Amino acid sequence: MQGGVDAAEAFFRPIYPSESGKLTLEKDRFYILATKERVSVPNHLSAEMVPFSHHVGELRAHYAGFFDPGFGYGARGEINGTVGVLEVRPHETINIYHGQPICLMEFFRNSQPPARPYGFAGSNYQGQEGPKLAKYFAPKDALRPRTLAL
């Protein structure tokens, strides 16, 4: 298959929270969710999503989870954050709620700022406003509406 031509609908289906904001994540299924907060990583730092608490349920909160220097920041702080996207897979069926924390961000000081921060080298996710799929999928396919902002 050629990159950028596959339809998201062949691989994903939208899910919606209940009126109370509850979203049920089924055991051993993958979900793509967006953060409620915007992520901004200054150029002298890198960041990684780390587990929040085992009390949330047996849940792997991310599979990529690394944020390069400049993500949601730009070259000099001109970007006011970008929504982070999480790939989650619960190991038991759990309920999560709008705004519920499911991960933390751990920041690391870089030995030096990058020559080209994230967003200046064909970066795919800078400025995303919700779950944005990889370049593998047709450009028109963004997962809209957002399933649940976490």
Side-chain angles (χ1 to χ4, degrees), residues 11-33:
F11 299 89
F12 301 98
R13 65 178 172 81
I15 56 173
Y16 304 95
S18 68
E19 287 185 24
S20 66
K22 178 177 79 171
L23 185 67
T24 300
L25 303 182
E26 296 176 20
K27 176 183 177 178
D28 293 330
R29 292 187 176 250
F30 283 91
Y31 297 87
I32 299 175
L33 305 173

mmCIF file of all heavy atoms in Angstrom, residues 11-33:
data_model
loop_
_atom_site.group_PDB
_atom_site.id
_atom_site.type_symbol
_atom_site.label_atom_id
_atom_site.label_comp_id
_atom_site.label_asym_id
_atom_site.label_seq_id
_atom_site.Cartn_x
_atom_site.Cartn_y
_atom_site.Cartn_z
ATOM 1 N N PHE A 11 -9.859 1.198 9.562
ATOM 2 C CA PHE A 11 -9.096 0.766 10.727
ATOM 3 C C PHE A 11 -9.648 1.273 12.052
ATOM 4 O O PHE A 11 -9.362 0.704 13.100
ATOM 5 C CB PHE A 11 -7.644 1.237 10.599
ATOM 6 C CG PHE A 11 -6.942 0.671 9.400
ATOM 7 C CD1 PHE A 11 -6.981 1.330 8.179
ATOM 8 C CD2 PHE A 11 -6.261 -0.529 9.487
ATOM 9 C CE1 PHE A 11 -6.336 0.805 7.065
ATOM 10 C CE2 PHE A 11 -5.619 -1.059 8.385
ATOM 11 C CZ PHE A 11 -5.659 -0.392 7.170
ATOM 12 N N PHE A 12 -10.391 2.370 12.030
ATOM 13 C CA PHE A 12 -10.850 3.020 13.254
ATOM 14 C C PHE A 12 -12.343 3.285 13.190
ATOM 15 O O PHE A 12 -12.898 3.463 12.131
ATOM 16 C CB PHE A 12 -10.150 4.373 13.451
ATOM 17 C CG PHE A 12 -8.664 4.267 13.538
ATOM 18 C CD1 PHE A 12 -7.873 4.508 12.417
ATOM 19 C CD2 PHE A 12 -8.042 3.936 14.722
ATOM 20 C CE1 PHE A 12 -6.493 4.414 12.487
ATOM 21 C CE2 PHE A 12 -6.663 3.837 14.805
ATOM 22 C CZ PHE A 12 -5.887 4.084 13.681
ATOM 23 N N ARG A 13 -12.948 3.339 14.370
ATOM 24 C CA ARG A 13 -14.337 3.779 14.472
ATOM 25 C C ARG A 13 -14.430 4.739 15.650
ATOM 26 O O ARG A 13 -13.784 4.535 16.689
ATOM 27 C CB ARG A 13 -15.298 2.615 14.642
ATOM 28 C CG ARG A 13 -15.126 1.845 15.916
ATOM 29 C CD ARG A 13 -16.160 0.710 16.043
ATOM 30 N NE ARG A 13 -15.850 -0.120 17.183
ATOM 31 C CZ ARG A 13 -16.169 0.174 18.441
ATOM 32 N NH1 ARG A 13 -16.812 1.278 18.711
ATOM 33 N NH2 ARG A 13 -15.845 -0.632 19.429
ATOM 34 N N PRO A 14 -15.212 5.815 15.509
ATOM 35 C CA PRO A 14 -15.332 6.766 16.619
ATOM 36 C C PRO A 14 -16.130 6.155 17.768
ATOM 37 O O PRO A 14 -17.022 5.333 17.553
ATOM 38 C CB PRO A 14 -16.059 7.956 16.007
ATOM 39 C CG PRO A 14 -16.746 7.414 14.810
ATOM 40 C CD PRO A 14 -15.956 6.229 14.332
ATOM 41 N N ILE A 15 -15.789 6.548 18.971
ATOM 42 C CA ILE A 15 -16.556 6.178 20.155
ATOM 43 C C ILE A 15 -16.889 7.465 20.896
ATOM 44 O O ILE A 15 -16.183 8.460 20.761
ATOM 45 C CB ILE A 15 -15.803 5.186 21.063
ATOM 46 C CG1 ILE A 15 -14.441 5.751 21.481
ATOM 47 C CG2 ILE A 15 -15.626 3.843 20.371
ATOM 48 C CD1 ILE A 15 -13.716 4.897 22.500
ATOM 49 N N TYR A 16 -17.954 7.444 21.658
ATOM 50 C CA TYR A 16 -18.433 8.655 22.299
ATOM 51 C C TYR A 16 -18.693 8.393 23.774
ATOM 52 O O TYR A 16 -19.170 7.319 24.143
ATOM 53 C CB TYR A 16 -19.712 9.153 21.623
ATOM 54 C CG TYR A 16 -19.513 9.375 20.146
ATOM 55 C CD1 TYR A 16 -19.838 8.389 19.221
ATOM 56 C CD2 TYR A 16 -18.962 10.554 19.676
ATOM 57 C CE1 TYR A 16 -19.636 8.588 17.864
ATOM 58 C CE2 TYR A 16 -18.758 10.765 18.318
ATOM 59 C CZ TYR A 16 -19.097 9.771 17.415
ATOM 60 O OH TYR A 16 -18.889 9.958 16.076
ATOM 61 N N PRO A 17 -18.431 9.387 24.610
ATOM 62 C CA PRO A 17 -18.745 9.232 26.036
ATOM 63 C C PRO A 17 -20.249 9.330 26.276
ATOM 64 O O PRO A 17 -20.990 9.856 25.447
ATOM 65 C CB PRO A 17 -18.013 10.398 26.690
ATOM 66 C CG PRO A 17 -17.919 11.427 25.617
ATOM 67 C CD PRO A 17 -17.799 10.668 24.319
ATOM 68 N N SER A 18 -20.674 8.818 27.428
ATOM 69 C CA SER A 18 -22.071 8.947 27.821
ATOM 70 C C SER A 18 -22.353 10.407 28.185
ATOM 71 O O SER A 18 -21.437 11.233 28.237
ATOM 72 C CB SER A 18 -22.357 8.046 29.027
ATOM 73 O OG SER A 18 -21.655 8.549 30.167
ATOM 74 N N GLU A 19 -23.598 10.732 28.476
ATOM 75 C CA GLU A 19 -23.959 12.099 28.866
ATOM 76 C C GLU A 19 -23.233 12.533 30.130
ATOM 77 O O GLU A 19 -22.972 13.713 30.329
ATOM 78 C CB GLU A 19 -25.473 12.224 29.042
ATOM 79 C CG GLU A 19 -26.217 12.208 27.725
ATOM 80 C CD GLU A 19 -27.703 12.466 27.909
ATOM 81 O OE1 GLU A 19 -28.096 13.078 28.926
ATOM 82 O OE2 GLU A 19 -28.457 12.048 27.019
ATOM 83 N N SER A 20 -22.894 11.579 30.990
ATOM 84 C CA SER A 20 -22.181 11.900 32.228
ATOM 85 C C SER A 20 -20.676 12.050 32.000
ATOM 86 O O SER A 20 -19.939 12.361 32.927
ATOM 87 C CB SER A 20 -22.446 10.827 33.283
ATOM 88 O OG SER A 20 -21.872 9.594 32.879
ATOM 89 N N GLY A 21 -20.216 11.819 30.771
ATOM 90 C CA GLY A 21 -18.794 11.951 30.459
ATOM 91 C C GLY A 21 -18.008 10.663 30.600
ATOM 92 O O GLY A 21 -16.800 10.651 30.444
ATOM 93 N N LYS A 22 -18.681 9.558 30.885
ATOM 94 C CA LYS A 22 -18.004 8.268 31.050
ATOM 95 C C LYS A 22 -17.717 7.639 29.693
ATOM 96 O O LYS A 22 -18.553 7.640 28.796
ATOM 97 C CB LYS A 22 -18.869 7.318 31.884
ATOM 98 C CG LYS A 22 -18.259 5.934 32.053
ATOM 99 C CD LYS A 22 -19.115 5.054 32.930
ATOM 100 C CE LYS A 22 -20.286 4.512 32.143
ATOM 101 N NZ LYS A 22 -21.052 3.486 32.872
ATOM 102 N N LEU A 23 -16.526 7.115 29.564
ATOM 103 C CA LEU A 23 -16.136 6.382 28.367
ATOM 104 C C LEU A 23 -15.623 5.028 28.824
ATOM 105 O O LEU A 23 -14.720 4.950 29.665
ATOM 106 C CB LEU A 23 -15.038 7.131 27.602
ATOM 107 C CG LEU A 23 -14.619 6.543 26.264
ATOM 108 C CD1 LEU A 23 -15.760 6.656 25.251
ATOM 109 C CD2 LEU A 23 -13.403 7.267 25.728
ATOM 110 N N THR A 24 -16.196 3.966 28.305
ATOM 111 C CA THR A 24 -15.771 2.623 28.664
ATOM 112 C C THR A 24 -14.724 2.146 27.670
ATOM 113 O O THR A 24 -14.968 2.144 26.465
ATOM 114 C CB THR A 24 -16.970 1.654 28.687
ATOM 115 O OG1 THR A 24 -17.914 2.128 29.658
ATOM 116 C CG2 THR A 24 -16.533 0.249 29.058
ATOM 117 N N LEU A 25 -13.557 1.792 28.194
ATOM 118 C CA LEU A 25 -12.481 1.235 27.370
ATOM 119 C C LEU A 25 -12.454 -0.263 27.610
ATOM 120 O O LEU A 25 -12.302 -0.717 28.742
ATOM 121 C CB LEU A 25 -11.140 1.865 27.750
ATOM 122 C CG LEU A 25 -11.054 3.387 27.661
ATOM 123 C CD1 LEU A 25 -9.644 3.851 28.020
ATOM 124 C CD2 LEU A 25 -11.444 3.875 26.282
ATOM 125 N N GLU A 26 -12.593 -1.024 26.545
ATOM 126 C CA GLU A 26 -12.663 -2.479 26.658
ATOM 127 C C GLU A 26 -11.276 -3.101 26.712
ATOM 128 O O GLU A 26 -10.336 -2.629 26.059
ATOM 129 C CB GLU A 26 -13.448 -3.042 25.478
ATOM 130 C CG GLU A 26 -14.899 -2.590 25.453
ATOM 131 C CD GLU A 26 -15.638 -3.082 24.227
ATOM 132 O OE1 GLU A 26 -15.183 -4.064 23.592
ATOM 133 O OE2 GLU A 26 -16.673 -2.475 23.895
ATOM 134 N N LYS A 27 -11.184 -4.162 27.466
ATOM 135 C CA LYS A 27 -9.943 -4.904 27.662
ATOM 136 C C LYS A 27 -9.288 -5.265 26.330
ATOM 137 O O LYS A 27 -9.944 -5.725 25.396
ATOM 138 C CB LYS A 27 -10.255 -6.184 28.448
ATOM 139 C CG LYS A 27 -9.082 -7.096 28.642
ATOM 140 C CD LYS A 27 -9.490 -8.368 29.359
ATOM 141 C CE LYS A 27 -8.298 -9.296 29.464
ATOM 142 N NZ LYS A 27 -8.627 -10.511 30.179
ATOM 143 N N ASP A 28 -7.974 -5.015 26.255
ATOM 144 C CA ASP A 28 -7.113 -5.413 25.141
ATOM 145 C C ASP A 28 -7.466 -4.795 23.790
ATOM 146 O O ASP A 28 -7.078 -5.305 22.745
ATOM 147 C CB ASP A 28 -7.053 -6.936 25.008
ATOM 148 C CG ASP A 28 -6.356 -7.579 26.192
ATOM 149 O OD1 ASP A 28 -5.462 -6.929 26.780
ATOM 150 O OD2 ASP A 28 -6.696 -8.723 26.545
ATOM 151 N N ARG A 29 -8.179 -3.683 23.793
ATOM 152 C CA ARG A 29 -8.428 -2.932 22.563
ATOM 153 C C ARG A 29 -7.581 -1.675 22.591
ATOM 154 O O ARG A 29 -7.270 -1.155 23.648
ATOM 155 C CB ARG A 29 -9.902 -2.573 22.425
ATOM 156 C CG ARG A 29 -10.772 -3.779 22.183
ATOM 157 C CD ARG A 29 -12.180 -3.320 21.875
ATOM 158 N NE ARG A 29 -13.004 -4.451 21.543
ATOM 159 C CZ ARG A 29 -13.474 -4.692 20.321
ATOM 160 N NH1 ARG A 29 -13.220 -3.861 19.343
ATOM 161 N NH2 ARG A 29 -14.218 -5.738 20.088
ATOM 162 N N PHE A 30 -7.220 -1.187 21.418
ATOM 163 C CA PHE A 30 -6.431 0.042 21.317
ATOM 164 C C PHE A 30 -7.357 1.226 21.091
ATOM 165 O O PHE A 30 -8.325 1.128 20.339
ATOM 166 C CB PHE A 30 -5.433 -0.041 20.158
ATOM 167 C CG PHE A 30 -4.234 -0.871 20.474
ATOM 168 C CD1 PHE A 30 -4.227 -2.222 20.197
ATOM 169 C CD2 PHE A 30 -3.113 -0.295 21.057
ATOM 170 C CE1 PHE A 30 -3.127 -2.997 20.496
ATOM 171 C CE2 PHE A 30 -2.008 -1.058 21.359
ATOM 172 C CZ PHE A 30 -2.016 -2.410 21.078
ATOM 173 N N TYR A 31 -7.013 2.350 21.727
ATOM 174 C CA TYR A 31 -7.786 3.576 21.592
ATOM 175 C C TYR A 31 -6.826 4.727 21.337
ATOM 176 O O TYR A 31 -5.703 4.734 21.842
ATOM 177 C CB TYR A 31 -8.583 3.868 22.876
ATOM 178 C CG TYR A 31 -9.610 2.809 23.166
ATOM 179 C CD1 TYR A 31 -9.274 1.673 23.894
ATOM 180 C CD2 TYR A 31 -10.908 2.929 22.693
ATOM 181 C CE1 TYR A 31 -10.222 0.689 24.157
ATOM 182 C CE2 TYR A 31 -11.853 1.955 22.948
ATOM 183 C CZ TYR A 31 -11.499 0.832 23.686
ATOM 184 O OH TYR A 31 -12.440 -0.132 23.927
ATOM 185 N N ILE A 32 -7.283 5.688 20.573
ATOM 186 C CA ILE A 32 -6.513 6.909 20.347
ATOM 187 C C ILE A 32 -7.313 8.045 20.971
ATOM 188 O O ILE A 32 -8.451 8.299 20.577
ATOM 189 C CB ILE A 32 -6.277 7.161 18.849
ATOM 190 C CG1 ILE A 32 -5.482 6.006 18.250
ATOM 191 C CG2 ILE A 32 -5.536 8.486 18.646
ATOM 192 C CD1 ILE A 32 -5.286 6.097 16.748
ATOM 193 N N LEU A 33 -6.713 8.693 21.969
ATOM 194 C CA LEU A 33 -7.375 9.763 22.707
ATOM 195 C C LEU A 33 -6.507 11.010 22.686
ATOM 196 O O LEU A 33 -5.301 10.924 22.486
ATOM 197 C CB LEU A 33 -7.615 9.342 24.160
ATOM 198 C CG LEU A 33 -8.382 8.033 24.371
ATOM 199 C CD1 LEU A 33 -8.390 7.668 25.847
ATOM 200 C CD2 LEU A 33 -9.796 8.150 23.838
#
